[in-house]
Amino acid sequence: MTARSALPGSHAPTLDLGGRTALVTGAAGGIGRACALRLAAAGAKVRAVDRDAAGLEALAEQGRDLAGTVEAHVLDLTDLDDAERAAAGTDVLVNNAGLQLVCPIEEFPPDVFHTVLTVMLEAPFRLIRGALPHMYGQGWGRIVNVSSVHGLRASAYKSAYVAAKHGLEGLSKTAALEGAPHGVTSNCVNPAYVRTPLVEKQLADQARAHDIPEERVLAEVLLQDSALKRLIEPEEVAEAVAYLCGPHASFVTGTSLVLDGGWTAH
Ligand SMILES: NC(=O)c1ccc[n+]([C@@H]2O[C@H](COP(=O)([O-])OP(=O)(O)OC[C@H]3O[C@@H](n4cnc5c(N)ncnc54)[C@H](O)[C@@H]3O)[C@@H](O)[C@H]2O)c1
């Protein structure tokens, strides 16, 4: 038998990202904001990326007294060259930015399909591409891709989103295989419905697509397949992201950490 684990102590050590730079996309919004604050609380220097300048400003203010720092970086991820450049020098990359349109395929606007795929699949590819040289150079890196239960299951009327998330799962696994010899892990986290603006904004679209009143959408559409009948909070997702960046997850790569209240147990 080889030497025992080099982990510090038998209990979960506190996540310490002091001296590490973390880039979080979509950081002005629900899950991204929670991830940025969680990683900054662990001491990281967080580069918070979003196209929403006001949201980033509010985040930077909120992160003022944490162990690490939160630095706002206003960027539209459809500018793929800028996205790749922004990722240079990061130790931890959280690909989180996303958008949603609920609409049947035959009515789905092709330009929106293209934008969803650009922001949620092509931009993560370019960000990973930009981050890897530094990660490989130092022999350590953590890539966490915020996928979804929709990276593993489809739902009607979400063609672009489901296609992007299934693609992200494949990208994440490929990055895991290529990164392993260089000390770089790549994983997905896969929440079911999270209490964020992205979900609030789709209630009306879901009502229209399913032809039911908006007040029935939560119980009859969003939580229908979940054994646990509640939304998950952004902070719970951020904690899963933090785990994947911590010392006890160094052997976890190429996988998907599912936080779906039992949805995929069906
Ligand atoms: N909310 C949910 O129920 C849920 C469930 C599973 C997975 N997710 C995933 O979690 C991630 C975050 O979702 P959320 O619910 O926090 O959404 P949100 O709408 O609250 O935040 C998304 C953020 O992405 C940013 N963004 C969108 N397009 C951008 C672009 N072109 N350039 C830069 N920034 C851009 C938005 O400005 C926003 O701040 C997404 O990838 C989403 O698919 C969400």
Side-chain angles (χ1 to χ4, degrees):
M1 257 199 23
T2 51
R4 294 193 56 190
S5 153
L7 288 173
S10 56
H11 300 292
T14 312
L15 178 64
D16 181 4
L17 292 176
R20 301 283 191 200
T21 299
L23 187 153
V24 180
T25 68
I31 296 170
R33 164 185 296 257
C35 289
L37 293 172
R38 179 64 184 90
L39 298 180
K45 185 175 167 204
V46 176
R47 203 176 296 167
V49 169
D50 207 293
R51 62 179 171 183
D52 173 1
L56 285 181
E57 216 171 283
L59 170 69
E61 182 60 35
Q62 218 181 330
R64 195 177 283 267
D65 296 326
L66 298 174
T69 55
V70 180
E71 172 199 308
H73 189 115
V74 180
L75 173 65
D76 190 320
L77 290 166
T78 57
D79 190 332
L80 295 168
D81 291 337
D82 274 359
E84 182 167 333
R85 269 192 293 274
T90 51
D91 305 307
V92 173
L93 170 62
V94 182
N95 278 315
N96 166 78
L99 62 159
Q100 175 69 275
L101 178 68
V102 180
C103 184
I105 293 173
E106 69 277 18
E107 292 165 22
F108 208 100
D111 61 320
V112 178
F113 190 94
H114 177 74
T115 303
V116 170
L117 269 287
T118 303
V119 173
M120 293 171 59
L121 183 55
E122 202 167 350
F125 161 70
R126 295 292 294 269
L127 285 149
I128 292 171
R129 192 170 189 275
L132 284 183
H134 169 74
M135 291 179 176
Y136 284 2
Q138 68 180 4
W140 192 91
R142 294 287 175 268
I143 299 166
V144 184
N145 299 299
V146 180
S147 177
S148 163
V149 72
H150 286 111
L152 309 170
R153 294 285 187 277
S155 288
Y157 315 125
K158 294 190 171 180
S159 54
Y161 188 88
V162 170
K165 292 300 191 192
H166 276 66
L168 186 64
E169 296 279 329
L171 173 66
S172 182
K173 287 182 205 169
T174 307
L177 297 184
E178 294 184 18
H182 305 279
V184 174
T185 66
S186 173
N187 293 288
C188 288
V189 293
N190 301 60
Y193 287 100
V194 189
R195 192 188 307 281
T196 72
L198 185 133
V199 163
E200 281 154 23
K201 278 185 243 157
Q202 72 175 269
L203 294 178
D205 288 349
Q206 289 276 18
R208 208 168 17 254
H210 290 270
D211 197 22
I212 57 172
E214 202 172 313
E215 55 276 13
R216 283 172 44 195
V217 168
L218 187 63
E220 293 179 28
V221 181
L222 305 193
L223 299 180
Q224 190 188 30
D225 292 318
S226 183
L228 296 172
K229 299 294 181 192
R230 69 168 175 87
L231 298 174
I232 178 172
E233 301 298 329
E235 291 72 21
E236 295 178 88
V237 182
E239 210 51 54
V241 171
Y243 162 73
L244 290 170
C245 298
H248 276 130
S250 64
F251 201 65
V252 181
T253 197
T255 195
S256 301
L257 180 45
V258 180
L259 309 160
D260 71 350
W263 182 329
T264 54
H266 287 285

